[in-house]
Amino acid sequence: MHETAIAESLAGRVEAIARERGLKRVTAVGVRVGMLRAVVDSTLTAIYAELVRGTDLEDSRLEILPGRVRSRCPECGWETRSSRPVLSCARCGSGKMVVSGGRELLIEFLETEE
Amino acid sequence: MIKNAVRIKMKEEVLRSEKKIAAANRRRLRRAAVAGLNIIGSPGAGKTSLIEAVAGRIGKGVGLGVIEGDLASDLDLRRLNAIGVRALQINTGRGCHLSPAMVASALEEMPLEEIDLLLIENVGNLVCPANFDLGEDAKVAVCSVPEGDDKPAKYPLLFLEAAVAVLNKTDLIAACGFSRRRFYRELKSVNPELPVIEVSCRSGKGAVSWARWLRNRVKEKRI
Ligand SMILES: Nc1nc2c(ncn2[C@@H]2O[C@H](COP(=O)(O)OP(=O)(O)OP(=O)(O)O)[C@@H](O)[C@H]2O)c(=O)[nH]1
Ligand SMILES: [Mg+2]
Ligand SMILES: [Zn+2]
């Protein structure tokens, strides 16, 4: 359950960012989670909610944004995004795809009220 | 008073502090010219057996050190101590992987100047440990024949991150109906470049190649 460790780091980071930026109430947290990380969204959300209960972040709802794997053919430029690497080009048949992304763990937005 | 929701955009690493600690571990290992390998595989795949197999084959000129990560117990530590390997136990409790901070405190306690090769046995698990950089030079993915020939396809991250895969328990290939062809096909569909070392810790077959691969990591680090 790497979701536990990720949720703990996430709550800590959100708290620090909210403090740095003087945000009193965080209502939503947008986090990009690369699909290669094999994170179960509902597990991460549940652990996060459990962790922030009774803290200043109690009202923050987690919004998970999937980070798909990007596979690109350098020969013909064909590109695809999916949950896992695609290693052969569906257009020209080349087997030299360049794979990127899918490993992100980034806080992309916080929502607050004013 | 009606309140408006305001969205503040950013790009902040969730694992920022883990990354910092891993980078510090990496610097530490570089300064001491220690090759550090993070050994990852399912429970019972043979991680400790592979370390035991190295102990007798790595050669006198290479100082071996081991960090043992387990949920609980020091059984693996005792196995290594019994054959004279310098090892340190980390119990992760409920944690399903070693964290870079755990490794940092282990490095504090180890005589790094006497060590050339540091093998870190992660907690038995294919998914969680692959997610956390410890500051190692390379990850080793350990698979074993009884687990089946479909592991690379099911857990792609580890096989993307690893510098080598070890297929252990090859003595059981016939008994388990394990398909080598399917295993290599699945592996190539995830990471076509990944080298594979086939080993049987039971018979000793392939152990020399495994030890040679590790010795080459030590040589790279000394340059
Ligand atoms: N047949 C056979 N059995 C093996 C081989 N290598 C290891 N074993 C057996 O597999 C079992 C597990 O081996 P370990 O080395 O303890 O595995 P591990 O990955 O360290 O296990 P955990 O630390 O509990 O996750 C032991 O009973 C070993 O004797 C092998 O090559 N062939
Ligand atoms: Mg073990
Ligand atoms: Zn193409």
Side-chain angles (χ1 to χ4, degrees), chain A residues 1-2 4-6 8-10 13 17 20-21 23 25 27 31 36-39 63 84-85 87 99 103 105-114, chain B residues 2-16 18 94 96-97 125 127-128 131-132 152-154 156-157 160-161 188-192:
Chain A
M1 285 255 293
H2 51 312
T4 307
I6 291 172
E8 283 168 0
S9 301
L10 178 61
R13 289 290 292 138
I17 295 166
E20 280 162 24
R21 303 193 183 211
L23 310 176
R25 204 167 98 88
T27 50
V31 61
L36 287 173
R37 289 193 172 265
V39 164
E63 204 174 299
R84 47 179 292 133
L87 293 169
V99 175
R103 291 177 171 87
L105 269 180
L106 289 173
I107 301 169
E108 292 202 349
F109 67 79
L110 296 186
E111 254 176 36
T112 182
E113 285 174 342
E114 60 182 29
Chain B
I2 297 167
K3 289 185 175 172
N4 293 317
V6 179
R7 180 173 283 200
I8 305 159
K9 288 196 178 162
M10 58 189 70
K11 283 235 187 305
E12 297 276 358
E13 282 286 351
V14 173
L15 300 180
R16 189 173 72 167
E18 287 82 351
R94 61 192 184 87
C96 51
H97 56 267
N125 187 318
V127 183
C128 309
N131 272 285
F132 299 90
K154 281 190 176 161
L157 182 61
L160 280 168
E161 299 274 308
K188 285 208 167 12
S189 82
V190 174
N191 185 351

Side-chain angles (χ1 to χ4, degrees), chain B residues 74-85:
Chain B
D74 62 352
L75 295 172
D76 284 356
L77 180 76
R78 284 195 253 163
R79 274 167 66 182
L80 294 170
N81 286 341
I83 55 166
V85 173

Side-chain angles (χ1 to χ4, degrees), chain B residues 62-202:
Chain B
V62 179
L64 178 64
V66 176
I67 296 176
E68 265 302 324
D70 280 295
L71 294 173
S73 98
D74 62 352
L75 295 172
D76 284 356
L77 180 76
R78 284 195 253 163
R79 274 167 66 182
L80 294 170
N81 286 341
I83 55 166
V85 173
R86 186 172 16 209
L88 199 134
Q89 180 77 52
I90 301 177
N91 283 132
T92 58
R94 61 192 184 87
C96 51
H97 56 267
L98 287 173
S99 71
M102 292 169 183
V103 171
S105 56
L107 293 181
E108 288 294 325
E109 291 180 39
M110 299 193 93
L112 291 184
E113 59 292 343
E114 293 166 28
I115 295 173
D116 306 296
L117 176 63
L118 177 64
L119 300 179
I120 305 170
E121 178 177 340
N122 218 313
V123 180
N125 187 318
L126 277 178
V127 183
C128 309
N131 272 285
F132 299 90
D133 178 19
L134 302 177
E136 71 275 344
D137 291 292
K139 292 186 176 72
V140 176
V142 179
C143 302
S144 66
V145 165
E147 294 165 57
D149 41 35
D150 58 358
K151 289 297 156 297
K154 281 190 176 161
Y155 307 102
L157 182 61
L158 175 59
F159 297 93
L160 280 168
E161 299 274 308
V164 69
V166 175
L167 176 62
N168 186 34
K169 309 194 189 182
T170 51
D171 53 292
L172 299 175
I173 284 183
C176 294
F178 181 94
S179 160
R180 254 203 193 86
R181 189 194 293 163
R182 173 142 189 244
F183 177 77
Y184 281 96
R185 192 182 63 217
E186 300 294 343
L187 193 62
K188 285 208 167 12
S189 82
V190 174
N191 185 351
E193 316 282 334
L194 189 65
V196 179
I197 305 172
E198 294 193 9
V199 179
S200 165
C201 291
R202 183 58 50 85

Side-chain angles (χ1 to χ4, degrees), chain B residues 38-57:
Chain B
N38 182 358
I39 302 179
I40 301 175
S42 300
K47 299 177 293 299
T48 309
S49 302
L50 284 163
I51 296 172
E52 290 169 330
V54 166
R57 292 180 172 92

